[in-house]
Structures are given as C-alpha cells and as structure tokens.
Amino acid sequence: MSGCRKRCKREILKFAQYLLRLLTGSLHTDSVEDELEMATVRHRPEALELLEAQSKFTKKELQILYRGFKNECPSGVVNEDTFKEIYSQFFPQGDSTTYAHFLFNAFDTDHNGAVSFEDFIKGLSILLRGTVQEKLNWAFNLYDINKDGYITKEEMLDIMKAIYDMMGKCTYPVLKEDAPRQHVETFFQKMDKNKDGVVTIDEFIESCQKDENIMRSMQLFENVI
C-alpha cells in the first residue's frame, strides 16, 4: 500500500472516529492528531480552485485530499456499498452498516446515490473547519432522517441504535441493551422544549450549545488537517 493511500485511510479513520464522538459528546483533547503530510499531486486546477472558494481548505490541502480520494475511489465517486465497506474496516467489532447508511445520506446532499469528491469536501469542511452553527446544522440534518425539518424520538433512536451497533459488544464498560433508548430519552427530554413530540432546528441548536461536552466536541477538530 502506498504512503498516500495509508495517509488517506488514517485521515478517514480519524474522521469516522470524530463523527462518532461528536454525536455522542465524548471527544477528548488527547484524541486529536495531525499526521497529514504534504505531497505534490496532479489535479484539475479549475475544480480545485472552485472548491477552495467553497470550502475552508487550502489548495495544497485539497490536492492531498484529492489524491487520496482518487486512490481509494478511482471512479471519482463513492456509492453506498463502498461507503459501508470503508466503515466496516474501521469498526470490525460491531455492525456499522446502518450508521454508514445514515452518514452516506447526509453526505449525499443531492440524493443521487453517490458521494463525489465535491460532496465529501463540502461535508468535511463543515465538520472540521465550520462554525459551531454550521456543524450543528449538519448534525441536525443527519438526525433528521426523512428530511422534513424535524427530529422525532424515533429518528434519534434509530441513529443512536446505529451508533451503539457500530460500537459493538466489546466496549468497556459493557453497554446495556437498553442504553440507546435511555440515551435518547435523556437527550430528547432536554431538547423538546415545548413538549410537542418533535425537535426543531432551533431547539436542537439551543440544547447543544448549552451542553459542555457537545460544545467541546465541536471545537477540537478545527485544525486537524
């Protein structure tokens, strides 16, 4: 495996771990690493210049990410099956299929069944370099499975079950069977301010901004790559 391919896999792994910790509010400062090395690569200048304007990455960073993306996905796009396969390598102790499905849909903003390099960069830019507001909007979109502008308790439970399934049975301390539901009950009670059975984007953002763990998670990866 080439050096660039290894670096790309490391970056995707750190990204996967970041998303998991972001959604559970459990990031810690000692999890932050910066191992990305600079390299000169061929690219399409017009496309990268446009992405530089649309994202918070420099042209050099985009060159590195583009080469890694093309090494992993020569076709230039990632379909859902490939996305699930990538995630299953990072979480072999559990079943990441459902979580990868939800995450893929969050990246596939135009819902065409594929994540392009542009889709990947736009999502990555928000999660790693975006403002707190942008990150929370992105997280809300992930939880809002049917994209109707609200998060129901069932949707939040589906995401949490997917996360716990991905973590597997080998976690310590061992998770109880009803842990996802308990987690959701606690979170949903805090977020559903008017008790109408759904969480709006405003309720979601307000609740997250008052949670120190979530806010700390939002701030740590601003300069990870």
Side-chain angles (χ1 to χ4, degrees), residues 12 22 60 99 101 107 128 140 163 177 189:
I12 296 175
L22 170 63
K60 192 69 174 179
Y99 180 73
H101 166 73
F107 272 98
L128 300 186
F140 180 88
I163 290 174
E177 199 70 29
Q189 187 175 5

Side-chain angles (χ1 to χ4, degrees), residues 34-108:
D34 187 3
E35 299 175 354
L36 197 62
E37 301 171 9
M38 293 298 173
T40 302
V41 299
R42 295 181 181 180
H43 60 91
R44 294 174 296 168
E46 296 81 10
L48 289 186
E49 286 174 2
L50 179 60
L51 272 179
E52 184 181 8
Q54 294 175 340
S55 72
K56 302 188 187 222
F57 294 119
T58 66
K59 184 182 291 187
K60 192 69 174 179
E61 290 169 330
L62 288 170
Q63 289 173 348
I64 296 167
L65 290 167
Y66 181 68
R67 180 173 180 177
F69 189 89
K70 289 290 286 184
N71 279 343
E72 292 297 317
C73 314
S75 67
V77 296
V78 181
N79 61 31
E80 186 169 341
D81 288 340
T82 302
F83 199 83
K84 289 178 178 177
E85 182 181 345
I86 291 172
Y87 251 75
S88 68
Q89 295 173 31
F90 297 142
F91 300 95
Q93 77 279 10
D95 182 358
S96 62
T97 304
T98 304
Y99 180 73
H101 166 73
F102 292 141
L103 192 59
F104 179 86
N105 286 342
F107 272 98
D108 181 18

